[in-house]
């Protein structure tokens, strides 16, 4: 599809931006009018950041899947909606057209209905990167159930926390998932999670790896059996549920500065409008483009730029199963060439890891179908940017550096491919509708250019977070209470002489490890569960591949005799409690932590030591016991 909201020149961008600030309601109403609605909205926007209360397209009625699917059937029914490249080279790839996807989503929505899922119910999805994952999500959206996708790398304990928080009674999973040379069990992990979640009524299991699984009578059902029941029923039509614009579409859990992940809630209409608007404009999508996003659908990037944004635009989403480095480090380039992808959207950590393999994996790769390159997830260092530009883009492709967050629903700050200027390591300019503000610690706005501070947004955009599931106050405290009447991002940033934004990283206790967000408090909680641990403090440090590494200082009841074994044991506990992504890179046993007289851990000092800046620790005179710092320094690893 083409949309008249597509910006095609720098001049047009400036005009769109100016209008979005001067007349935001008119601006977004013109954008929203290009979607398919059951009933148009009465009012564009009502908002109050202090509560927070944000509503877009009030009383509008729609179903996002009618925009992702039904709308395209007449003109584009035989166009591929999803191209899927499997982990193993011997297995054929799959192409699913819009007609077929529509059919499959309807069928699976019918399965959900047969199993008692109703509008508003929460459905947890824990699957690998196979087409049945977007099919399951869209089937939920079709019948108005709220999906909560949990990344396949999270542990049973993490799943159980999320199931309880969302009170999800339904689960969709796989027997296992392929990741490189390994088949990772998924259903077994669900079984462990369910020991503490007796309220779960139904688990639907898709067979992918033929890993042996336990299937509990009455609770666990095979996907294929449920589908054949629907076929026996003659595939009854499954009309999409009419949703209010503000009905929740999904929950996605993400880490914050406290120990417990938050369930970020996104709306139906606002999310749809902004996901599509940002997709079309940032990547300059044109009909026929094949969009290859390498993210996992378990993260917001996959939700918006593998599933909803791409499908609402009628595009072709190329997704893959496996790893960028398996069977070799040419994997992404092979997929690009095989399917002639036009857009490649990946993460700096993937680029850095592939850089490490040198140029051999690029030999005989054409990469000549590509038109646009993108990155997301963390600040991209200049070296990685130039490698991407030179070796993948051959210095002829625009690179978009897209800054955004789970809470934002879509890209907020980025250049528009080939339309607005790029600058290495800068996300550059805000999209229309996004009003960034830089504030100092006191919340005073810092105006002008060549300035840095904390990044806030002063006006709502359609896909802003609506609440944190089950705890609205938490949403207010986290995002809307630090600075009055502004959304606080938790990121620090710099604005250069041209007004371009450079995101410099988190200013709160949140780490960004390989583009994954991990709260230091979460890791500390996990470490503290290990027997013998009295206290721990976790900080980030610069890591060549991951962006940030995790450094843990741990106090035990007595110094372990076998430090290496104890480190391994603690890693095991972290893996059990959170998952392998949260495993510390370094664990140092200490006898004390630097604390103020009021008992607060001085993380600044611990960060400096982890970074290796042991001679430049600043003022330590306010510490309760300055001697602990010397001890920590001498035993640094
Ligand atoms: C945090 C959000 C949104 C998709 C992936 C991560 C960091 C994200 C960039 C970028 C610098 C970036 C920020 C942000 N971040 N993109 N282009 N440049 N930093 O989503 O897990 O919600 O993490 O990732 O620190 O706050 P997330």
């Amino acid at each position: 599809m083409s949309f008249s909201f597509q910006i095609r020149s720098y001049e047009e961008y400036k005009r769109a931006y100016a209008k979005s600030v001067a007349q935001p309601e008119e601006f977004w109403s013109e954008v929203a009018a290009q979607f398919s609605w059951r009933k148009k909205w009465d009012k564009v926007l009502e908002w109050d950041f202090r509560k927070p209360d944000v509503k877009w397209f009030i009383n509008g009625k729609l179903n996002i899947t009618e925009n992702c699917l039904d709308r395209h059937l007449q003109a584009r029914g035989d166009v591929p909606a999803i191209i899927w490249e499997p982990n193993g080279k011997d297995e054929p790839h799959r192409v699913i057209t819009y007609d077929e996807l529509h059919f499959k989503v309807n069928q699976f929505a019918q399965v959900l209905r047969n199993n008692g899922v109703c509008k508003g119910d929460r459905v947890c999805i824990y699957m690998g990167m196979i087409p049945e994952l977007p099919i399951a999500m869209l089937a939920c959206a079709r019948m108005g159930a709220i999906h909560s996708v949990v990344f396949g790398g999270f542990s049973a304990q993490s799943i159980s926390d999320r199931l309880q928080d969302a009170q999800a009674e339904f689960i969709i999973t796989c027997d296992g998932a392929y990741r490189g040379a390994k088949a990772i069990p998924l259903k077994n992990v669900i079984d462990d999670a369910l020991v503490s979640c007796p309220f779960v009524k139904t688990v639907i299991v898709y067979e992918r790896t033929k890993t042996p699984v336990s299937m509990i009578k009455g609770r666990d059902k095979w996907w294929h059996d449920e589908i054949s029941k629907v076929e026996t029923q003659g595939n009854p039509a499954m009309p999409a549920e009419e949703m209010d614009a503000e009905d929740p579409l999904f929950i996605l859990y993400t880490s914050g500065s406290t120990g417990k992940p938050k369930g970020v809630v996104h709306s139906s209409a606002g999310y749809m409008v902004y996901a599509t608007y940002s997709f079309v404009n940032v990547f300059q999508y044109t009909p026929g483009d094949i969009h290859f996003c390498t993210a996992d659908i378990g993260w917001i990037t996959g939700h918006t730029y593998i599933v909803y944004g791409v499908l609402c635009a009628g595009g072709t989403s190329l997704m893959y199963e496996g790893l960028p480095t398996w069977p070799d480090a040419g994997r992404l380039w092979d997929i690009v060439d095989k399917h002639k992808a036009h857009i490649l959207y990946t993460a700096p950590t993937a680029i850095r890891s592939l850089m490490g393999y040198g140029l051999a994996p690029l030999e005989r790769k054409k990469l000549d179908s590509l038109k646009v390159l993108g990155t997301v997830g963390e600040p991209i260092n200049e070296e990685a940017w130039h490698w991407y530009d030179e070796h993948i883009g051959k210095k002829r492709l625009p690179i978009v550096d897209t800054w955004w967050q789970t809470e934002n629903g879509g890209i907020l700050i980025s250049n528009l491919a080939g339309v607005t200027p790029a600058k290495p390591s800068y996300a550059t300019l805000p999209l229309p509708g996004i009003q960034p503000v830089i504030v100092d610690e006191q919340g005073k706005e810092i105006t002008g250019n060549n300035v840095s501070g904390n990044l806030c947004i002063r006006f709502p955009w359609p896909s802003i977070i609506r609440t944190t599931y089950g705890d609205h106050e938490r949403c207010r405290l986290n995002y809307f209470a630090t600075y009055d009447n502004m959304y606080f991002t938790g990121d620090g940033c710099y604005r250069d002489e041209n007004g371009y934004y450079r995101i410099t990283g988190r200013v709160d206790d949140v780490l960004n490890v390989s583009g994954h967000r991990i709260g230091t408090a979460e890791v500390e909680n996990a470490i503290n569960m290990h027997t013998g641990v009295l206290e721990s403090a976790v900080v980030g440090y610069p890591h060549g591949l991951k962006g940030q590494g995790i450094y843990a200082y741990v106090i035990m009841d007595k110094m372990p005799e076998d430090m290496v074994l104890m480190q391994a044991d603690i890693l095991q506990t972290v893996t059990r409690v959170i998952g392998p992504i949260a495993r510390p890179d370094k664990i140092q046993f200490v006898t004390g932590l630097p604390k103020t007289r009021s008992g607060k851990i001085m993380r600044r000092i611990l960060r400096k030591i982890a970074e290796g800046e042991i001679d430049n620790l600043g003022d330590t005179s306010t510490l309760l016991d300055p001697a602990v710092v010397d001890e920590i320094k001498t035993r640094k690893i």
Side-chain angles (χ1 to χ4, degrees):
M1 288 199 58
S2 37
F3 296 93
S4 69
F5 57 63
Q6 185 157 356
I7 295 164
R8 298 185 185 275
S9 68
Y10 196 16
E11 284 312 310
E12 261 179 56
Y13 162 77
K14 286 182 199 158
R15 270 202 303 277
Y17 190 81
K19 177 158 185 186
S20 78
V21 174
Q23 299 161 290
E25 300 194 17
E26 212 178 302
F27 177 85
W28 286 113
S29 142
E30 283 168 20
V31 173
Q34 296 177 45
F35 291 79
S36 143
W37 297 80
R38 292 271 183 93
K39 176 184 166 289
K40 238 188 123 180
W41 54 94
D42 301 331
K43 195 173 172 210
V44 180
L45 171 66
E46 269 175 19
W47 68 290
D48 179 352
F49 271 176
R50 292 190 175 105
K51 287 186 174 160
D53 179 24
V54 179
K55 293 193 186 81
W56 281 93
F57 312 116
I58 293 149
N59 290 330
K61 306 287 175 197
L62 77 163
N63 186 293
I64 193 170
T65 69
E66 291 187 334
N67 285 270
C68 290
L69 302 169
D70 305 59
R71 190 180 192 193
H72 306 309
L73 298 185
Q74 213 177 357
R76 280 176 300 283
D78 54 356
V79 166
I82 294 176
I83 301 177
W84 174 73
E85 185 60 34
N87 181 65
K89 276 206 162 158
D90 304 330
E91 191 179 344
H93 70 268
R94 284 168 67 186
V95 177
I96 301 172
T97 65
Y98 274 98
D99 275 334
E100 289 162 345
L101 188 60
H102 177 258
F103 180 79
K104 283 174 186 292
V105 168
N106 274 297
Q107 243 189 355
F108 196 68
Q110 197 68 55
V111 166
L112 295 177
R113 168 102 351 133
N114 287 346
N115 279 280
V117 179
C118 295
K119 179 176 179 177
D121 285 348
R122 278 79 53 219
V123 177
C124 171
I125 305 181
Y126 186 68
M127 298 174 92
M129 284 288 286
I130 54 175
E132 282 66 25
L133 166 52
I135 289 169
M137 293 161 77
L138 291 163
C140 288
R142 188 129 188 117
M143 56 169 330
I146 303 168
H147 60 69
S148 162
V149 180
V150 177
F151 172 63
F154 279 115
S155 68
Q157 178 70 54
S158 298
I159 298 166
S160 147
D161 290 346
R162 286 158 174 76
L163 288 169
Q164 289 180 24
D165 189 80
Q167 284 297 303
E169 295 177 347
F170 304 91
I171 299 177
I172 307 165
T173 188
C174 300
D175 50 352
Y178 289 120
R179 242 173 106 76
K182 286 189 259 178
I184 317 271
L186 294 182
K187 172 63 164 66
N188 284 352
V189 182
I190 291 289
D191 291 340
D192 289 346
L194 293 194
V195 171
S196 52
C197 300
F199 51 85
V200 169
K201 291 188 200 145
T202 306
V203 182
I204 298 175
V205 186
Y206 183 83
E207 185 179 69
R208 171 68 187 131
T209 54
K210 299 204 191 308
T211 307
V213 290
S214 135
M215 295 291 284
I216 299 297
K217 195 182 294 163
R219 188 193 70 184
D220 299 349
K221 301 178 179 177
W222 287 109
W223 175 299
H224 51 260
D225 288 345
E226 294 304 297
I227 290 285
S228 38
K229 281 184 210 160
V230 174
E231 280 166 351
T232 318
Q233 293 161 7
N235 281 304
M238 181 72 202
E241 187 77 33
E242 185 168 288
M243 305 298 286
D244 184 80
E246 282 298 320
D247 278 339
L249 175 63
F250 64 82
I251 306 172
L252 188 57
Y253 284 86
T254 189
S255 299
S257 37
T258 62
K260 205 174 134 235
K262 312 174 276 239
V264 172
V265 177
H266 280 292
S267 70
S268 296
Y271 173 80
M272 168 184 80
V273 167
Y274 197 79
T276 314
Y277 180 82
S278 57
F279 171 67
V280 167
N281 279 308
V282 171
F283 300 101
Q284 286 295 301
Y285 166 78
T286 33
D289 279 355
I290 295 177
H291 176 76
F292 181 22
C293 170
T294 71
D296 192 289
I297 294 179
W299 310 111
I300 190 72
T301 307
H303 279 61
T304 306
Y305 301 112
I306 295 180
V307 186
Y308 291 110
V310 188
L311 297 180
C312 282
T316 298
S317 189
L318 169 56
M319 64 183 278
Y320 89 112
E321 177 192 48
L323 294 168
T325 48
W326 194 89
D328 58 57
R331 172 88 168 128
L332 299 184
W333 325 132
D334 284 336
I335 297 175
V336 167
D337 281 352
K338 176 171 173 186
H339 299 288
K340 305 206 174 353
H342 301 102
I343 307 168
L344 174 66
Y345 191 30
T346 193
T349 186
I351 298 171
R352 286 194 302 267
S353 127
L354 295 174
M355 274 167 74
Y357 290 83
L359 296 178
L362 277 159
E363 273 167 27
R364 286 184 300 281
K365 314 288 163 165
K366 290 213 197 68
L367 305 179
D368 55 354
S369 55
L370 289 171
K371 298 196 295 191
V372 173
L373 303 178
T375 73
V376 62
E378 56 178 310
I380 179 160
N381 49 310
E382 290 206 26
E383 200 193 348
W385 194 97
H386 286 294
W387 189 88
Y388 202 31
D389 179 41
E390 193 171 324
H391 299 291
I392 310 305
K394 322 274 187 203
K395 295 208 167 197
R396 60 177 183 96
L397 301 185
I399 299 179
V400 289
D401 178 351
T402 65
W403 173 83
W404 59 300
Q405 311 174 296
T406 304
E407 296 83 348
N408 307 156
I411 297 163
L412 297 196
I413 304 184
S414 172
N415 51 318
L416 312 182
V419 168
T420 65
K423 178 172 177 180
S425 82
Y426 280 72
T428 71
L429 297 171
L431 264 68
I434 308 306
Q435 301 186 32
V437 197
I438 299 184
V439 296
D440 66 15
E441 295 290 330
Q442 282 69 47
K444 212 171 129 305
E445 180 174 351
I446 306 175
T447 54
N449 288 342
N450 289 314
V451 291
S452 53
N454 292 347
L455 179 61
C456 293
I457 316 281
R458 78 159 112 240
F459 196 85
W461 61 97
S463 61
I464 188 173
I465 179 175
R466 296 303 197 267
T467 189
T468 45
Y469 194 83
D471 191 351
H472 194 63
E473 178 62 3
R474 195 158 172 219
C475 176
R476 189 184 72 81
L477 286 172
N478 253 289
Y479 308 105
F480 300 93
T482 318
Y483 301 114
D484 182 43
N485 213 12
M486 284 188 262
Y487 166 82
F488 177 42
T489 64
D491 278 323
C493 84
Y494 171 72
R495 187 164 52 212
D496 79 357
E497 62 283 1
N498 300 311
Y500 295 176
Y501 290 85
R502 174 193 195 146
I503 313 302
T504 46
R506 304 287 306 195
V507 293
D508 52 7
D509 292 323
V510 170
L511 306 181
N512 190 328
V513 181
S514 302
H516 302 321
R517 194 154 141 191
I518 296 167
T520 53
E522 253 177 285
V523 185
E524 287 165 5
N525 284 352
I527 295 174
N528 295 350
M529 284 172 76
H530 194 82
T531 185
V533 172
L534 298 181
E535 198 179 2
S536 64
V538 165
V539 297
Y541 71 97
H543 187 289
L545 232 48
K546 299 180 173 184
Q548 272 188 308
I550 305 179
Y551 198 116
Y553 299 90
V554 178
I555 308 177
M556 309 270 317
D557 49 4
K558 55 179 190 300
M559 258 307 163
E561 270 165 35
D562 185 340
M563 298 236 195
V564 175
L565 183 59
M566 184 57 78
Q567 284 162 343
D569 286 350
I570 291 176
L571 290 181
Q572 202 68 24
T573 296
V574 174
T575 305
R576 284 250 165 243
V577 177
I578 308 177
I581 52 172
R583 287 159 66 95
D585 298 273
K586 293 183 180 178
I587 296 176
Q588 180 181 351
F589 296 105
V590 296
T591 56
L593 291 166
K595 288 191 179 168
T596 60
R597 288 196 181 86
S598 59
K600 216 175 137 266
I601 297 175
M602 299 270 289
R603 286 168 188 281
R604 177 181 57 80
I605 294 178
L606 294 176
R607 245 177 262 139
K608 286 246 159 146
I609 297 174
E611 283 165 17
E613 284 199 40
I614 42 180
D615 299 321
N616 181 21
L617 294 182
D619 184 13
T620 54
S621 62
T622 55
L623 288 178
L624 189 64
D625 178 10
V628 295
V629 174
D630 295 323
E631 187 226 282
I632 295 176
K633 279 199 309 198
T634 48
R635 292 192 194 214
K636 167 163 173 22
I637 43 172

